[in-house]
Amino acid sequence: MYHYLKAILSQFLDLIPERKIYNEDYIKELDRHTRIIQIPGSIIGVFGMLGFAFDTDAKLHPEFPELFYYRIGYSLFCFSYIVFIIYNHFKNKFSSWEGLTWAYLTYAYLLFTAAYYTGRIADDAAYVSGYQMLVMILPFLPLPRKTLLIYYPISILIFFISVFIYKPNLTTAAANYSMQNLTISYVLGIFSGLIMERYRFHSFLNHKRIIKKNEEITKTVDEIQNLKSQQDGDYFLTSLLLEPLLGHETDGNAIGIETVVNQYKKFQFRNKEYQLGGDYISVFNLILQGKRYKAFINGDAMGKSIQGAGGAIVLGAVYNSIIIRSKMDPASSNRSPERWLHDCYLDLQKVFETFDGAMLVSAVVGLLEESTGTLYFVNLEHPSVILYRDGKASFIEDEVHYYKLGVIEGLSERIISVFQMKKSDKIFCGSDGKDDLILSEQGRYRDINEDHNLILGNIEEAKGEMQPLLDCLRNKGKYSDDLSLISLQYNLDPYPKPGKFFLEAKEKIREKQYDKALELLLSYDSALDTSIAELKYIAKLYEKKGDLVKAMEYASLALENYPSDTIWMFHTSVLYKRMYSLYKSQSFLWESQELSERVRLRQPSNIRNLIHLADVCRLNGDKDRATYLVGMIKKMSPEHPRLKEIISVI
């Protein structure tokens, strides 16, 4: 029991080793933040209490003239501090009394004096309300959390001592109400203070980690750049850095995987041939929200040989760290595939932005779900993903939604592409080396292929097989660039076909015999034998009957087995919201928001979903998120009929 309670307390108080490691730097960061607000805070302090001192206090509590001195004392304290700061800056001095020390003293004066005089007149609800405001200010100040645990108990003690000495009348209903509100203020102050301090510390910690990661990456790239002047031995060292980063986990029979990496630069070292270039491929097993995925990436770093290899090493190092974190951190593995891809892109982009455009990488980053054959991917200005189905090859993308990694100005709408694979379908991702073939050479003149549809014919000629495809490419011409290819073939029947009652049930639905249709669709031995279309009909029929619990059960099962249906995902999200309106369970709202956020990552311009998501966020108490979404709706459709309604409730 002791260890259990200790674990809970440790998690609640966020007792992680990094707090000790970075405590000194964290205190310096808080000191820097308080130095930013100390001048405007002191100016407010000079004038903030004057109205109370010269007017309000005298009218409300003439029997308590000491209030005047508390107010004026604070104004004089703040004025003196402004003079002190100006003097120090004029003399070019740095004082330890600035920053955190100022914050400690200023807030201590406010809180403790207010605790004393509020306790003396605790029967005055207005002054108790003002004291509540002071209590709630502490969580928002950039102070260490020990301040919260020290100042609150002291102020409570002072308040009780004052009440005990002066014995204000606390037997009235108004006084009881004020005391209850004051108690709630302290409780909320403690919890919100711990939460905000945790957020503040982890923001600082993430900043530290990013800086450290950037330093490590920059150091690695600098080392690579220093190897430019060296020959085969230098290339060999570089290839050793890249080789361990090429992941290739291909266990299981659900997905067949083949990869090829043929770097353009070949060199000899110790009588062995090696290669070096900027292409990168990795395939890893990944579990997200309890489902198995193949996480894959195919990247092409800018530059030739060692320059491209530098980009590939950075790409591989960061991507591998993302995969490791996703495997080891429960919070990271509990994300939807859309959110995982979006966060993966942001992590990669933040790293490559640090090179200020000197290192760009095109890539396809994707996830293929093993149980359903649902493909999620983002294309970062890489050659289009190719589908080979029933002997025909075709591109499955029609728009570009992302620039290369490292381009600072990105596209406004970021879309996670989703595609549903069938049994025996195969997708191909490859760098532009498969397209940039040298068709003929005459002296210095080289005829390089410019037809990007040529690869489709080659895949069809090779019948979707990797080795015959490489033979076809070699027969068409010579490579002029690094070549990398990855193919993923889906080998399962992801869901059953409609059963024997499907057509009859549809006929009953057209005849509005809903009970009979539902009876037919429920006639199968198991829901696992029911097709996706039938599951959707069952869900809608239960909705008509008003049985939302059953409707949600079948709607979720349909979505579980066919997550590529974005329209149904939105429908299920709305259904969860309706469930919340009936049963007031917060879990329904969280599920509704999760699904709606996934729809938004797929279709950021879907106004209906944005309105729905804004309302769900409102119900969840996330006002900032709801306001942000309303702002997006205003930009996209300022005249939308539901816009005013949403604004009014927010």
Side-chain angles (χ1 to χ4, degrees), residues 548-566:
L548 293 186
V549 175
K550 283 291 186 181
M552 186 184 70
E553 177 183 345
Y554 282 91
S556 299
L557 185 58
L559 186 63
E560 184 84 2
N561 292 319
Y562 198 73
S564 59
D565 191 339
T566 307

Side-chain angles (χ1 to χ4, degrees), residues 320-555:
N320 275 262
S321 70
I322 293 170
I323 292 293
I324 293 170
R325 182 181 65 202
S326 299
K327 289 185 175 184
M328 299 183 65
D329 180 14
S332 296
S333 63
N334 196 32
R335 290 175 290 176
S336 66
E338 294 90 347
R339 174 57 61 188
W340 188 91
L341 283 174
H342 184 262
D343 292 347
C344 179
Y345 163 75
L346 292 179
D347 288 345
L348 292 170
Q349 175 65 8
K350 285 176 183 176
V351 171
F352 280 94
E353 278 183 358
T354 61
F355 298 106
D356 199 22
M359 185 177 289
L360 304 179
V361 176
S362 70
V364 169
V365 187
L367 293 167
L368 180 55
E369 186 179 342
E370 292 188 9
S371 61
T372 65
T374 306
L375 173 68
Y376 308 81
F377 67 95
V378 292
N379 189 323
L380 312 173
E381 273 197 289
H382 205 61
S384 297
V385 178
I386 300 169
L387 169 69
Y388 180 73
R389 173 183 288 175
D390 298 331
K392 296 292 182 182
S394 61
F395 298 115
I396 61 175
E397 304 165 73
D398 51 7
E399 289 182 275
V400 174
H401 302 289
Y402 294 79
Y403 288 138
K404 287 182 174 69
L405 292 172
V407 176
I408 296 177
E409 294 296 330
L411 297 181
S412 59
E413 289 188 350
R414 295 170 180 164
I415 296 177
I416 305 299
S417 301
V418 182
F419 181 78
Q420 183 61 52
M421 296 184 70
K422 299 179 180 179
K423 184 177 182 179
S424 300
D425 279 358
K426 184 177 284 190
I427 62 163
F428 287 86
C429 302
S431 64
D432 53 12
K434 69 184 188 307
D435 302 309
D436 299 339
L437 300 174
I438 302 173
L439 303 179
S440 63
E441 278 185 293
Q442 294 180 358
R444 294 184 178 180
Y445 175 78
R446 298 194 305 175
D447 180 18
I448 298 179
N449 172 55
E450 296 181 356
D451 180 14
H452 287 182
N453 291 318
L454 181 64
I455 185 64
L456 302 180
N458 288 331
I459 291 174
E460 291 176 2
E461 183 179 342
K463 298 181 180 179
E465 299 297 327
M466 184 65 79
Q467 189 55 50
L469 173 59
L470 296 176
D471 295 337
C472 287
L473 292 174
R474 279 192 289 266
N475 291 334
K476 293 291 191 301
K478 292 171 60 179
Y479 298 134
S480 65
D481 200 355
D482 301 329
L483 169 69
S484 57
L485 276 170
I486 177 173
S487 71
L488 296 97
Q489 178 173 319
Y490 190 64
N491 298 322
L492 301 181
D493 282 315
Y495 46 84
K497 296 179 180 179
K500 57 185 177 180
F501 302 117
F502 180 61
L503 295 178
E504 185 179 353
K506 286 180 66 177
E507 184 63 28
K508 296 299 181 185
I509 291 172
R510 279 193 291 268
E511 295 171 1
K512 298 186 177 181
Q513 297 183 36
Y514 301 125
D515 290 338
K516 183 63 177 175
L518 184 59
E519 181 181 347
L520 286 168
L521 292 172
L522 294 173
S523 302
Y524 300 105
D525 294 334
S526 168
L528 298 176
D529 299 326
T530 310
S531 69
I532 304 300
E534 289 168 322
L535 289 172
K536 291 178 181 178
Y537 274 123
I538 293 172
K540 290 182 177 180
L541 288 170
Y542 271 124
E543 281 187 72
K544 285 185 177 292
K545 289 169 64 69
D547 190 348
L548 293 186
V549 175
K550 283 291 186 181
M552 186 184 70
E553 177 183 345
Y554 282 91

Side-chain angles (χ1 to χ4, degrees), residues 202-219:
H202 281 275
S203 297
F204 161 80
L205 186 59
N206 288 336
H207 179 67
K208 275 284 186 183
R209 286 170 175 169
I210 290 173
I211 291 175
K212 186 177 180 180
K213 183 184 290 185
N214 289 344
E215 289 174 351
E216 292 174 355
I217 292 170
T218 303
K219 183 180 178 181

Side-chain angles (χ1 to χ4, degrees), residues 249 300 433 466 499 567 593:
E249 297 179 348
D300 183 3
M466 184 65 79
I567 295 174
Q593 183 172 346

